[in-house]
Amino acid sequence: MNSKEFERRRRQLMSMVGEGGIVIIPTAPVRTRSRDVEYNYRQDSDFYYLTGFPEPQAVAVLVPGRPNGEYLLFCREKNPERELWDGLRAGQGGAVSDYGADDAFPIDDIDDILPGIMESCSRVYYTMGMYADFDKRMAEWVNTLRSKLSRGVHSPQEFVALDHLLHDMRLYKSRGEISAMRKSAKVSVAAHKRAMQVTRPGMFEYEVEAEFRHEFRRNNAWVSYSPIVGGGKNACILHYVENNAELQDGDLLLIDAGCELDYYASDITRTFPVSGRFSPEQRAIYEIVLQAQDAAIEKTVVGNHWNDPHDAAVKTITKGLRKLGLIEGTLPRLIKDGAYQQYYMHRTGHWIGMDVHDVGDYKVGDEWRVLENGMVTTVEPGIYLDNSRKIPKAFRNIGVRIEDDVAITSKGPDVLSKGLARDPDDIEALMHSR
């Protein structure tokens, strides 16, 4: 992302905060996987959104109107010995020259410096409850200032939830962000194509998962969430991640997998036959879900409400299940009673951006949010028919979900993950081109 993009974001946030306010954002802590082994470090999304700074142990401070610099960054000092073990550090010089800080200080000096900056501010904008250890430090700084009130020292009078402002900003993607998400989706599309072409009966789910991880890493991307690779009955488990079963001839394989590239996520699901050919029953269910996704995408436009795509998908799925005899009754009554929910139990989408389940409210007050230019959502209807006796035998263990990432634009829906087969004939053709 261009450095100007981070600067623009900081300016926008500071204009909303106004003079007298101070924004304080810590990095994500380093997490231990087991004993002395750490997880790969991934920066806090809010922190990175405003700074582009990838290192741990840092705190960003925005002080609108401050004469000596509005954007301050507390970070680790340069340390050749530690850098030999853990990698290079930007240090205070790099924080200014490479990451746009007006001034930078050693993170070890924050207790001595930050309370003095807070003293001149009446409002603190901070996301409370995210990191417990940092919450304690914030409380200590405020208590330190309050203990000196009798000596004329001032203390902030108000704490304001930063996420209310910042997460609404993140909901609206810029052109640069849409471009980044398109690149992320392109890598995921290539991985899904790869999976379709290598899958055969007798493989294990984890072997197919390995194809995704290979394609992601060869493009300098990581998984944006634990891949779901579920064959047969496992496709009916919404968050199935064991991925250890053998793939059987005649089963469907549902893969929900996406990557994160340059801090932007993609989220794609496809369902296809392990053998390369849909059975009549599998195709019937698949075509209902495909029609539901088309209907939902058609409603993913400026001016509609967040729930409109879901309502369109529900209507299509209910109508299709009724036609196949899997549910019985009049269409309005079936929808009103939620009869479809035994086979379609989740929502049709979620915001996506720097996080797979990205920030942003779905309702404003009691009303569903109006869709606007720059928002990006997934569209992912599904039908899940388990091994229940109430389901005709030919339809059992069929789980189908189709998911794409869709940007809402003034020109209509922009499917960022386009280029990946959805039509059942196209899927079969792709699988037999291997």
Side-chain angles (χ1 to χ4, degrees), residues 71-342:
Y71 168 36
L72 311 177
L73 190 59
F74 292 85
C75 60
R76 300 175 302 181
E77 293 183 89
K78 297 287 290 181
N79 184 323
E81 182 179 352
R82 289 314 312 166
E83 291 177 59
L84 176 65
W85 288 89
D86 303 327
L88 298 178
R89 300 179 177 185
Q92 285 65 59
V96 173
S97 62
D98 299 336
Y99 295 97
D102 296 322
D103 204 352
F105 307 95
I107 187 65
D108 292 339
D109 294 344
I110 193 169
D111 291 335
D112 298 324
I113 297 174
L114 186 54
I117 299 172
M118 294 171 63
E119 181 187 354
S120 63
C121 303
S122 59
R123 302 181 310 283
V124 176
Y125 290 79
Y126 169 67
T127 301
M128 291 160 277
M130 182 64 70
Y131 304 118
D133 289 344
F134 197 81
D135 287 348
K136 293 178 182 177
R137 297 191 73 179
M138 285 287 293
E140 290 171 359
W141 294 329
V142 172
N143 288 334
T144 296
L145 292 174
R146 288 176 176 171
S147 69
K148 299 177 181 179
L149 291 177
S150 62
R151 286 178 270 170
V153 174
H154 294 90
S155 173
Q157 302 299 308
E158 184 180 3
F159 273 75
V160 184
L162 175 62
D163 47 347
H164 178 71
L165 295 179
L166 186 53
H167 291 177
D168 207 59
M169 281 178 57
R170 284 179 53 190
L171 179 59
Y172 297 87
K173 275 63 178 180
S174 67
R175 289 183 180 181
E177 290 180 284
I178 295 295
S179 177
M181 295 184 69
R182 201 183 305 277
K183 290 177 183 177
S184 177
K186 186 176 181 179
V187 173
S188 292
V189 165
H192 277 271
K193 286 182 178 178
R194 183 185 182 109
M196 288 182 187
Q197 291 183 310
V198 304
T199 296
R200 291 172 175 79
M203 290 181 69
F204 283 82
E205 294 164 342
Y206 54 76
E207 294 181 86
V208 182
E209 178 185 351
E211 299 294 333
F212 280 85
R213 293 184 181 272
H214 174 83
E215 190 68 24
F216 292 166
R217 288 305 299 135
R218 70 188 291 265
N219 286 280
N220 198 28
W222 299 91
V223 293
S224 52
Y225 54 95
S226 295
I228 297 169
V229 185
K233 64 181 181 180
N234 296 333
C236 298
I237 303 172
L238 298 184
H239 290 162
Y240 173 79
V241 292
E242 284 81 0
N243 301 349
N244 58 9
E246 185 176 358
L247 299 176
Q248 304 296 322
D249 190 4
D251 281 349
L252 290 180
L253 176 59
L254 185 156
I255 302 179
D256 187 336
C259 73
E260 179 181 293
L261 179 63
D262 295 333
Y263 278 86
Y264 283 87
S266 51
D267 187 359
I268 301 173
T269 305
R270 287 295 184 271
T271 309
F272 55 91
V274 171
S275 65
R277 297 292 181 194
F278 288 93
S279 72
E281 293 78 13
Q282 290 170 347
R283 181 178 280 261
I285 297 299
Y286 186 94
E287 288 181 341
I288 294 172
V289 177
L290 180 60
Q291 292 165 10
Q293 194 197 33
D294 285 338
I297 291 175
E298 187 177 341
K299 293 292 186 180
T300 309
V301 295
V302 172
N304 276 354
H305 289 84
W306 165 256
N307 208 47
D308 289 341
H310 179 67
D311 286 343
V314 163
K315 183 176 181 180
T316 302
I317 287 173
T318 304
K319 188 183 297 184
L321 292 172
R322 178 173 176 266
K323 185 175 181 179
L324 292 177
L326 294 170
I327 54 177
E328 296 180 352
T330 64
L331 185 62
R333 174 56 63 181
L334 289 171
I335 293 175
K336 183 177 181 181
D337 292 346
Y340 61 89
Q341 290 178 349
Q342 58 189 310

Side-chain angles (χ1 to χ4, degrees), residues 171 173 178 181 350-352 374-378 406-408 416:
L171 179 59
K173 275 63 178 180
I178 295 295
M181 295 184 69
H350 54 78
W351 302 131
I352 183 170
M375 297 176 176
V376 185
T377 179
T378 63
V406 182
I408 298 152
L416 304 180

Side-chain angles (χ1 to χ4, degrees), residues 412-429:
D414 180 6
V415 181
L416 304 180
S417 48
K418 62 186 176 184
L420 181 59
R422 293 188 309 137
D423 182 87
D425 290 336
D426 292 340
I427 289 174
E428 290 181 347

Side-chain angles (χ1 to χ4, degrees), residues 2-14 16-17 23-26 43-53 60-62 71 73 99-101 125 127 162 165-167 169-170 177 264 354:
N2 190 291
S3 60
K4 294 293 184 182
E5 179 93 4
F6 297 110
E7 182 181 354
R8 180 192 62 77
R9 295 167 181 172
R10 293 192 295 269
R11 292 291 176 197
Q12 182 179 346
L13 180 59
M14 285 192 287
M16 293 188 288
V17 168
V23 176
I24 302 174
I25 309 177
Q43 187 58 275
D44 176 87
S45 292
D46 285 345
F47 183 94
Y48 192 85
Y49 180 80
L50 292 172
T51 68
F53 191 75
V61 179
L62 304 181
Y71 168 36
L73 190 59
Y99 295 97
Y125 290 79
T127 301
L162 175 62
L165 295 179
L166 186 53
H167 291 177
M169 281 178 57
R170 284 179 53 190
E177 290 180 284
Y264 283 87
M354 293 186 73

